[in-house]
Amino acid sequence: MAENEQQYEFSEFSGEFVDDGVMVIIGIYRPAGTNGDWTLEVVDQEGYSTVWDDLFATDREAFEEFLATIQRDGIRSFLDQSIHTVH
């Protein structure tokens, strides 16, 4: 492994999430060994990634934002899109 390769700590909220017959992978992570803010990323079944621009103070806040997005826009909002970011 290269010296400058970043290592990440993943939240317990990370993992598979299924709703309405659609499965996505939730990644909630931060640089390992830090108390930094958390990044929220959702990867769909085709491997397309949605990453939030904003960071979250806690992993729970990141997960709650994911759930709010599902409730507001539906899980299918993550499908069939190229890599994009959410503000």
Side-chain angles (χ1 to χ4, degrees), residues 2 19 27 52:
D19 185 48
W52 275 248

Side-chain angles (χ1 to χ4, degrees), residues 8-51:
Y8 293 98
E9 168 189 3
F10 283 84
S11 163
E12 65 185 24
F13 294 110
S14 296
E16 294 181 357
F17 185 90
V18 178
D19 185 48
D20 194 26
V22 175
M23 191 268 302
V24 296
I25 304 293
I26 305 165
I28 300 174
Y29 55 88
R30 65 182 175 187
T34 73
N35 287 323
D37 290 339
W38 296 86
T39 297
L40 172 58
E41 178 177 13
V42 177
V43 180
D44 73 12
Q45 297 166 327
E46 300 298 321
Y48 292 112
S49 174
T50 301
V51 180

Side-chain angles (χ1 to χ4, degrees), residues 17-22 24 42 44 50 52 65-79 81 84:
F17 185 90
V18 178
D19 185 48
D20 194 26
V22 175
V24 296
V42 177
D44 73 12
T50 301
W52 275 248
E65 173 61 24
F66 167 75
L67 293 176
T69 301
I70 296 296
Q71 185 173 13
R72 181 182 63 245
D73 303 330
I75 196 163
R76 294 184 184 281
S77 66
F78 294 111
L79 301 181
Q81 300 179 32
H84 62 283

